[in-house]
Amino acid sequence: MVIRWWIFVLHLTELFISCLVHMLYGFYIFSSAVAGDLTLLLNDWSSSNIFKHAHNSKTIPTTTLQTSTTTTTTVTDLPPIVLVHGIFGFGKGRLGGLSYFAGAENKDERVLVPDLGSLTSIHDRARELFYYLKGGQVDYGEEHSKAYGHSQFGRIYEHGHYVEWDEDHPIHFVGHSAGAQVVRVLQQMLADKTFKGYEHTSEDWVLSITSLSGAFNGTTRTYFDGMQPEDGRTMKPISLLQVCRLGVIIYDWLDIPWLKSYYNFGFDHFKMSWRKIGIRGLIDCLLGNSGPFASGDWILPDLTIQGSLEINRQLHTFPNTYYFSYATKRTKKFFGFTVPSSILGIHPLLFIRVLQMSQWRHPPDVPPPYKGYRDEDWQDNDGALNTISMTHPRIPIEHPSKFVLEDKEAHPLQPGIWYYKIFEGDHISFIINRERAGVQFDLVYDSIFERCRKHVFRKTPQTVPNEAHH
């Protein structure tokens, strides 16, 4: 009895520390975004005043503009590179001027950074990504919407960001964390022609998929955060995810316009606003009787090993698409044990989870999630995902893959194969704050964009504008 009591106290202590660290980090991100926006506003105001003063005090001479007749390859001739964020992520236009990809989008002339639901399911995010690119009103699918109890239609994109997208105008996708699985699901939807009104979609609309710490096979972190390892769908009654659930429900119910325009979890199609459901509806959501957390149509069930296995049963690696993956880890072997490889090098948000995941043991009274499962395969991790999950799709069937130490080992690239590398880094080394990854940040993103522009093509290699011959 005493031992059980101490275990319970330790669990509550760990939960309190985890909640505190996550809330402090969330506040840091939010305040950084606000501070950045205020700085831009002050700079704009100051610049406009200086301009007005200069305009009033000087006579601006009339000049004749010379029009250049030099012909170059235009940026619009290039297939866009689409950066897809992960869980709790955000796209361009959210959180002010803050960049989820830490400014990596500025490394190429044509990069798109869509804003998808940060906690919505893999399925819903894949649907949103399609309409972000093609335009129109997001259609989550009639059957899916009825099954999970939300509206079939969502946000309207009056102007698609790449309306010409088709087999002759394919796209490069780069996904971080859950974003990589979102792209795989989207490609399968294109192959299965599941978008109403678009009967000619195909898997060949996707030219390449690059994964940064991608969540292909699930993660044991979901169980530490609060998912039940017995089924991978339900939550433990006392856990970090329960705290998250309550916070998200209240945030969406309050429905404060300026706040949701700044950051949105993506559950608008569940209509949880106080204007729609009132106090009684709020109580229902909090008690777990309705909403995304009750139906299971949110991101965490998709990130359990069981959830990822079910998704992977439907997904293929296609013969005309190029695949590349960057896996990360912050663990090492020490006298036969898996331990964190660093203390100062791991972000405080992730350190406890790196330690816990490195000691992961599947509950002995619960059947293993798949045939051939071994605990030791899942102990290397980056604080959010297990390294085995990031290299390439492995369960229930392992897809073709090749491990490479240097990019040149993969050349010439062959489609239909997952080339993968393993880097020393935690799960957020290549997002939010580029200073943490140092030189490695530039090496990784430079190699991604160079590969997309110079080594991945189906017909003839495109000419990058700043490399065009005049």
Side-chain angles (χ1 to χ4, degrees):
M1 187 60 133
V2 175
I3 294 176
R4 288 183 179 180
W5 171 252
W6 275 110
I7 291 174
F8 179 70
V9 170
L10 287 173
H11 175 68
L12 288 182
T13 303
E14 184 272 329
L15 175 59
F16 173 77
I17 294 173
S18 292
C19 289
L20 182 63
V21 170
H22 282 78
M23 285 190 291
L24 287 174
Y25 185 68
F27 178 75
Y28 161 74
I29 294 295
F30 189 83
S31 60
S32 297
V34 172
D37 281 357
L38 289 176
T39 301
L40 287 174
L41 285 173
L42 289 173
N43 287 339
D44 290 344
W45 177 81
S46 176
S47 298
S48 63
N49 283 345
I50 292 172
F51 176 78
K52 287 178 181 178
H53 178 73
H55 181 77
N56 292 333
S57 60
K58 292 183 179 181
T59 301
I60 301 175
T62 302
T63 59
T64 302
L65 297 177
Q66 297 290 329
T67 303
S68 173
T69 57
T70 304
T71 303
T72 63
T73 304
T74 63
V75 172
T76 54
D77 292 332
L78 298 173
I81 299 172
V82 182
L83 305 183
V84 184
H85 64 75
I87 185 172
F88 285 109
F90 52 92
K92 189 174 182 180
R94 298 287 186 186
L95 286 179
L98 197 64
S99 167
Y100 179 85
F101 289 93
E105 61 269 26
N106 298 321
K107 287 180 172 289
D108 188 87
E109 286 88 349
R110 198 171 194 200
V111 177
L112 299 174
V113 189
D115 180 68
L116 310 176
S118 65
L119 283 180
T120 48
S121 65
I122 298 290
H123 172 278
D124 288 2
R125 294 181 67 194
R127 305 293 292 191
E128 291 165 6
L129 181 53
F130 177 86
Y131 290 99
Y132 165 89
L133 293 164
K134 291 294 287 183
Q137 186 171 22
V138 176
D139 183 351
Y140 294 105
E142 182 179 3
E143 184 178 344
H144 173 87
S145 302
K146 286 182 178 179
Y148 290 100
H150 61 68
S151 299
Q152 179 180 346
F153 300 101
R155 179 177 176 178
I156 298 174
Y157 291 99
E158 294 183 1
H159 305 286
H161 290 75
Y162 192 54
V163 293
E164 59 266 46
W165 185 28
D166 59 19
E167 190 171 320
D168 294 322
H169 304 86
I171 288 177
H172 299 285
F173 287 96
V174 180
H176 175 255
S177 191
Q181 191 77 321
V182 168
V183 176
R184 292 188 65 224
V185 170
L186 173 59
Q187 186 177 30
Q188 190 64 54
M189 289 177 175
L190 293 170
D192 295 339
K193 308 183 189 309
T194 64
F195 294 97
K196 190 174 181 180
Y198 296 91
E199 289 78 19
H200 302 293
T201 62
S202 80
E203 64 274 15
D204 289 340
W205 285 30
V206 179
L207 182 52
S208 74
I209 297 178
T210 300
S211 164
L212 276 173
S213 305
F216 297 132
N217 306 291
T219 170
T220 57
R221 168 158 182 167
T222 56
Y223 310 123
F224 288 111
D225 285 346
M227 299 302 293
Q228 297 279 15
E230 288 81 3
D231 59 9
R233 302 293 299 176
T234 56
M235 281 187 282
K236 299 172 185 176
I238 302 176
S239 64
L240 180 64
L241 292 181
Q242 288 287 3
V243 176
C244 171
R245 179 183 74 89
L246 297 176
V248 171
I249 289 172
I250 293 172
Y251 185 92
D252 265 44
W253 185 81
L254 290 174
D255 193 20
I256 303 171
W258 72 267
L259 198 57
K260 290 192 74 173
S261 67
Y262 216 62
Y263 187 83
N264 196 335
F265 292 106
F267 291 125
D268 291 345
H269 54 306
F270 278 91
K271 301 188 182 302
M272 294 191 291
S273 167
W274 63 271
R275 298 176 179 85
K276 299 288 186 180
I277 63 174
I279 294 292
R280 183 173 294 180
L282 172 63
I283 294 173
D284 266 350
C285 287
L286 292 174
L287 292 177
N289 298 325
S290 62
F293 304 101
S295 67
D297 192 28
W298 66 299
I299 189 70
L300 260 296
D302 291 341
L303 296 181
T304 62
I305 297 176
Q306 297 96 324
S308 295
L309 189 150
E310 288 304 313
I311 291 174
N312 285 343
R313 290 188 197 279
Q314 315 300 323
L315 306 184
H316 296 82
T317 291
F318 294 98
N320 293 327
T321 300
Y322 295 85
Y323 301 91
F324 210 92
S325 176
Y326 296 87
T328 45
K329 73 170 187 173
R330 267 299 186 188
T331 52
K332 65 179 180 180
K333 294 296 182 183
F334 184 74
F335 291 107
F337 296 95
T338 305
V339 297
S341 59
S342 171
I343 296 178
L344 298 178
I346 301 174
H347 196 282
L349 185 71
L350 302 171
F351 184 80
I352 292 177
R353 290 297 187 255
V354 170
L355 180 60
Q356 290 175 320
M357 293 170 68
S358 69
Q359 306 304 311
W360 165 254
R361 295 289 185 275
H362 190 75
D365 56 336
V366 177
Y370 61 90
K371 186 178 180 180
Y373 169 86
R374 300 188 310 164
D375 283 332
E376 53 267 35
D377 293 337
W378 290 82
Q379 290 174 349
D380 279 326
N381 70 89
D382 66 359
L385 296 177
N386 312 85
T387 305
I388 190 176
S389 180
M390 294 182 266
T391 59
H392 60 286
R394 294 173 178 264
I395 57 172
I397 298 173
E398 186 165 5
H399 291 219
S401 65
K402 181 180 179 180
F403 172 68
V404 295
L405 287 172
E406 301 292 339
D407 285 358
K408 61 183 179 181
E409 296 178 26
H411 297 157
L413 289 170
Q414 298 297 317
I417 298 174
W418 284 92
Y419 296 94
Y420 69 92
K421 301 173 73 173
I422 299 177
F423 281 97
E424 182 71 17
D426 62 40
H427 196 65
I428 56 178
S429 290
F430 300 106
I431 60 171
I432 306 297
N433 183 359
R434 67 187 302 159
E435 304 302 325
R436 292 192 63 245
V439 176
Q440 199 173 61
F441 178 95
D442 292 305
L443 291 175
V444 167
Y445 281 106
D446 287 347
S447 68
I448 291 173
F449 292 130
E450 181 180 359
R451 185 184 313 112
C452 290
R453 294 305 182 213
K454 295 183 178 180
H455 302 291
V456 173
F457 48 88
R458 292 201 184 115
K459 296 176 181 177
T460 57
Q462 65 268 9
T463 304
V464 180
N466 60 12
E467 293 183 354
H469 297 288
H470 303 292

